[in-house]
Amino acid sequence: KLRDLGFFLPCCTTAPRRLVATRPDWSLCTNEAVVAEKTEVAPGIFRLRLEPVTEILWRPGETVALIKPDGTRRTYSIASLTEDYYLDLHIRHYPGGAVSGWVADQLAVGDTVSLQGPSGSFTYDPDQAQVPLTLIGTGSGQAAVLAIARDALRQGHPAPVHLVLGASTAAGLYLAGEAEALAAQHPQLKVTLAASREAAFGQPAARATSLAFQGDMAGHAVYLCGAPAMVETARIAAVRHGVAQRSIFADSFDPPEP
């Protein structure tokens, strides 16, 4: 299969004509990984910690397709850095979901899974080093924006970073501890926690989008990850506060078909 995609082994390939070699397009590749850990980190959200069988380079915020043995696949955002060694996926279990149900009910530690990718551009851009960032994640999308914040700070991002995590209840803010620990290490990082149905972490009930945008935000970059309604509401709010359309990056989680 890899040969059909143009891959070759340079150590033992004889070229009959001049070749132009490029880096592999990982979005076309299928790789295997071993389930090192499966944890229900919040009600209905599972963290899969995967150990790739072969080396895969990825960036937080990119996506991979998780493939069931029957070929059914769903795409999930990567919530870890390559330096973490493990590739983390945070998967919400949808009742009747073809892949999320398999993850929740059947997949076990030690199993081998197939992945296609990574791919996508929902990632931190080092060219934004002097740009204030606002990152909003709700539900399982909290994991992706936290990982993107980690990536930006790891690369020495000096400008302010506002990380807004949202859920319906306090129990859904399952990454609050990790986010606050990261903020304690990086003074340019501000963390806001929002539960829409109840008070949480000293904050009255509120939606993440209502706490993320204040004043003139021209020159800011905004990252959005979560349900389509949140992404659309936040996109409109960002523009109203002066954020340029080209500086809004989004990864919308549409509920899958069963």
Side-chain angles (χ1 to χ4, degrees):
K1 291 182 179 180
L2 290 177
R3 186 179 291 111
D4 293 339
L5 293 172
F7 286 70
F8 63 94
L9 294 173
C11 58
C12 60
T13 296
T14 300
R17 59 187 182 277
R18 184 179 178 183
L19 295 178
V20 176
T22 61
R23 293 182 179 274
D25 183 351
W26 292 112
S27 68
L28 301 175
C29 300
T30 300
N31 302 281
E32 292 187 334
V34 177
V35 179
E37 179 184 320
K38 185 181 89 170
T39 307
E40 188 170 8
V41 290
I45 297 178
F46 290 83
R47 180 182 65 199
L48 277 189
R49 182 154 283 174
L50 304 175
E51 181 178 9
V53 173
T54 57
E55 183 180 18
I56 304 174
L57 300 178
W58 69 82
R59 298 182 62 194
E62 289 183 319
T63 62
V64 292
L66 180 61
I67 306 171
K68 281 179 63 177
D70 68 2
T72 306
R73 64 182 62 202
R74 294 290 184 268
T75 300
Y76 299 102
S77 297
I78 299 174
S80 58
L81 281 62
T82 301
E83 291 78 3
D84 296 333
Y85 181 73
Y86 292 108
L87 189 154
D88 284 3
L89 304 178
H90 290 228
I91 298 173
R92 178 176 291 282
H93 177 208
Y94 290 95
V99 173
S100 67
W102 168 67
V103 168
D105 301 330
Q106 300 178 42
L107 198 62
V109 171
D111 288 350
T112 299
V113 299
S114 295
L115 304 171
Q116 184 173 8
S119 62
S121 58
F122 185 67
T123 57
Y124 172 70
D125 184 350
D127 289 341
Q128 297 174 332
Q130 303 303 320
V131 176
L133 305 179
T134 297
L135 304 100
I136 308 173
T138 58
S140 59
Q142 297 172 76
V145 294
L146 174 57
I148 292 171
R150 287 182 57 212
D151 191 31
L153 296 168
R154 181 190 64 84
Q155 297 188 55
H157 185 88
V161 179
H162 187 192
L163 177 63
V164 185
L165 304 181
S168 58
T169 65
L173 295 168
Y174 65 100
L175 294 173
E178 291 184 35
E180 291 178 336
L182 187 65
Q185 301 171 17
H186 299 278
Q188 70 271 46
L189 173 62
K190 174 186 176 182
V191 174
T192 298
L193 306 171
S196 61
R197 297 181 183 173
E198 62 185 25
F201 298 93
Q203 171 70 45
R207 294 190 178 277
T209 51
S210 69
L211 302 178
F213 302 102
Q214 297 180 359
D216 183 5
M217 295 178 61
H220 289 227
V222 174
Y223 288 76
L224 309 170
C225 191
M230 182 282 289
V231 169
E232 184 60 21
T233 297
R235 192 191 301 273
I236 293 170
V239 172
R240 286 176 175 170
H241 284 264
V243 180
Q245 288 273 13
R246 66 179 179 276
S247 297
I248 302 173
F249 308 93
D251 186 5
S252 179
F253 290 172
D254 292 302
E257 295 293 330

